[in-house]
Amino acid sequence: MEVMEATLRNREIIVAGGAGGLGAAATHMLAAEGARVVATYARNRTRAEQLSDIATVAQADLTQAADRARLLDMAPNLYGVAIFSGIAARSEEMMDESMEANYFGPIRFAREAAARMKAAGTPGAIVL
């Protein structure tokens, strides 16, 4: 069994939804540990840009293949992914959009990240 290194210093980590409540807290904690963080946002650019001194900030929609690939390209030495993104299904009409944003997009992103990490031999982590 391989033992993971105890430090996150200079490790590249993508925090999807990294500008929102829990995501922003995770972004701050990871940056404090020395990680190189890419924090994503969907709509609130102003809030996201408040993190620009501790993270690379990127707009992304995990339901879009091009956005997922662009994010993964932003962290060529990817060590980990934490996904906090999603939307609430406040009505019956929003159910499909909610499933895409809360399930299918994040799962696809996690699988794509895992494939890159496996190919690179990275013993990192993915948190959904």
Side-chain angles (χ1 to χ4, degrees), residues 16 60-65 67-68 71 83 85 101 104-106 108-109:
D61 178 349
L62 296 185
T63 68
Q64 301 300 309
D67 282 8
R68 294 191 307 268
L71 284 177
I83 301 176
S85 62
F104 292 115
R108 288 179 181 122
F109 185 59

Side-chain angles (χ1 to χ4, degrees), residues 7 11 25 31 34 41 49 58 63 77 98 102 108-109 121-122:
T7 182
R11 300 287 192 164
Y41 69 97
E49 287 179 345
T63 68
N77 297 308
S98 177
N102 298 339
R108 288 179 181 122
F109 185 59
T122 302

Side-chain angles (χ1 to χ4, degrees), residues 53-77:
D53 59 330
I54 63 167
T56 300
V57 176
Q59 192 284 329
D61 178 349
L62 296 185
T63 68
Q64 301 300 309
D67 282 8
R68 294 191 307 268
R70 181 175 46 83
L71 284 177
L72 291 170
D73 289 345
M74 292 177 75
N77 297 308

Side-chain angles (χ1 to χ4, degrees), residues 87-89 94-104:
I87 62 169
M94 293 181 70
M95 291 296 290
D96 289 341
E97 181 183 7
S98 177
M99 284 299 292
E100 283 293 326
N102 298 339
Y103 180 73
F104 292 115

Side-chain angles (χ1 to χ4, degrees), residues 9 15 21 27-28 36 38 52-53 60 71 85 88 109 116 119 122 124:
R9 180 154 310 285
V15 182
T27 296
H28 280 282
R36 293 190 312 247
V38 176
S52 64
D53 59 330
L71 284 177
S85 62
F109 185 59
R116 289 194 187 200
T122 302

